[in-house]
Amino acid sequence: MAITTVTLSSLSLHSTTTPRLSFLKPTTKLHPLSLSISPKSSFLSPLSYHPKIITIITKANSSDIDTSFFDNLNPEEDFVFDPPTPPEDYIPPPSFDEGPLETEEEIAAAYEELYGPAYSGVSVLGKDIYVMDSKVKKTSGWGSRVKKEKIKDGFDERVVQVRRVTKVVKGGKQLHFRAVVIVGDKQGRVGVGVGKAKEVIVAVQKSALNARRNIITVPMTKYLTFPHRSEGDFGAAKVMLRPASPGTGVIAGGAVRIVLEMAGVENALGKQLRSKNALNNARATVVAVQKMRQFSEVARERGIPMEELWK
């Protein structure tokens, strides 16, 4: 059946059996209150009367409907599902409910394989992440007194200085701790970091994390010393570094000695000038080390083959 809706400009119902209607342009918009007129009858229902819209229902042409799909189909026939025959070597999979339950280690390993090492319990930055066990709480944060395990990435940590820092606010004074930590693998890489917190342990953890973000490479010769002399300054501090012969050892003091030892330098001379600030002296040592270059780098810049350097 097809439905056509037309709009009435006026509707006059008289006492006669056939109403007099005047129509305007048809529209496809439907209205909940409409008059339905069958082509076989001219009866108008008073419950569906509306002064503007009247709906006329007509029969659709049979040629417009495609019924070729149902030509060979018996609606009274019962259809039975016939699955294909499995091959000879087919082994049905076990049920989901059968077998032992996975352990937490197996589930954590599966998450690590899918989403990376962040789901194995420790993130890249060293923060604990417990994905599978919601009862275990994090061991870091403000007010935490539980000592956190060190990050196993091959770097050793050395605390250089811990100082109390007081901040004056409206309600009084706030006490914090500032820690200076130097990390290194004793194979040519070293970093200096600083961190502040309300507790010493948290301050050391933050400074160690900051030091790992500022790792540099120290150029060294086969005798584990510097290729040439260098000087560096940071703030009011100034550091002087000199190479030394094998067997000399590290002759330096304060933060300069710790930086060189954590970098793996075994023969060197160092001197702190001007300031006694441990943080500035450590950073001045890093600046002096960054100014050094290997002989191969200088030869490469000048276009000199390495074979000619040893003639």
Side-chain angles (χ1 to χ4, degrees), residues 220-239:
M220 291 187 294
T221 63
K222 62 180 180 179
Y223 302 109
L224 300 179
T225 185
F226 300 128
H228 57 86
R229 61 177 59 187
S230 177
E231 295 181 358
D233 54 353
F234 188 90
K238 184 177 181 180
V239 172

Side-chain angles (χ1 to χ4, degrees), residues 158-215:
R158 184 83 64 85
V159 180
V160 177
Q161 185 185 63
V162 176
R163 295 182 61 182
R164 293 183 300 175
V165 180
T166 304
K167 180 180 179 182
V168 180
V169 295
K170 183 178 180 180
K173 295 182 180 181
Q174 291 183 353
L175 179 63
H176 290 74
F177 294 94
R178 188 193 73 169
V180 179
V181 176
I182 299 175
V183 300
D185 58 354
K186 297 184 179 180
Q187 295 181 359
R189 295 191 298 172
V190 68
V192 179
V194 60
K196 298 178 183 179
K198 291 184 178 181
E199 295 186 5
V200 177
I201 297 177
V202 182
V204 172
Q205 294 173 0
K206 293 175 64 176
S207 58
L209 181 61
N210 180 257
R212 284 177 169 82
R213 295 175 178 175
N214 300 284
I215 296 295

Side-chain angles (χ1 to χ4, degrees), residues 16 168 217 311:
T16 59
V168 180
T217 303
K311 289 182 181 181

Side-chain angles (χ1 to χ4, degrees), residues 130-170:
Y130 297 94
V131 179
M132 307 313 302
D133 193 354
S134 59
K135 297 181 181 180
V136 181
K137 297 181 180 180
K138 297 174 64 177
T139 58
S140 62
W142 298 106
S144 175
R145 298 184 180 273
V146 182
K147 186 176 181 180
K148 186 179 177 181
E149 296 182 359
K150 294 183 179 180
I151 308 172
K152 298 179 181 180
D153 56 355
F155 286 94
D156 297 332
E157 300 178 4
R158 184 83 64 85
V159 180
V160 177
Q161 185 185 63
V162 176
R163 295 182 61 182
R164 293 183 300 175
V165 180
T166 304
K167 180 180 179 182
V168 180
V169 295
K170 183 178 180 180

Side-chain angles (χ1 to χ4, degrees), residues 50 53 117 132 159 188 251-252 304 307:
H50 191 271
I53 298 177
M132 307 313 302
V159 180
I251 301 178
I304 303 175
E307 293 78 8

Side-chain angles (χ1 to χ4, degrees), residues 270-292:
K271 181 65 177 177
Q272 296 180 4
L273 305 175
R274 300 178 186 172
S275 176
K276 296 182 180 181
N277 188 289
L279 179 59
N280 287 348
N281 283 323
R283 289 179 172 175
T285 306
V286 173
V287 173
V289 168
Q290 288 179 331
K291 292 181 180 180
M292 297 181 183

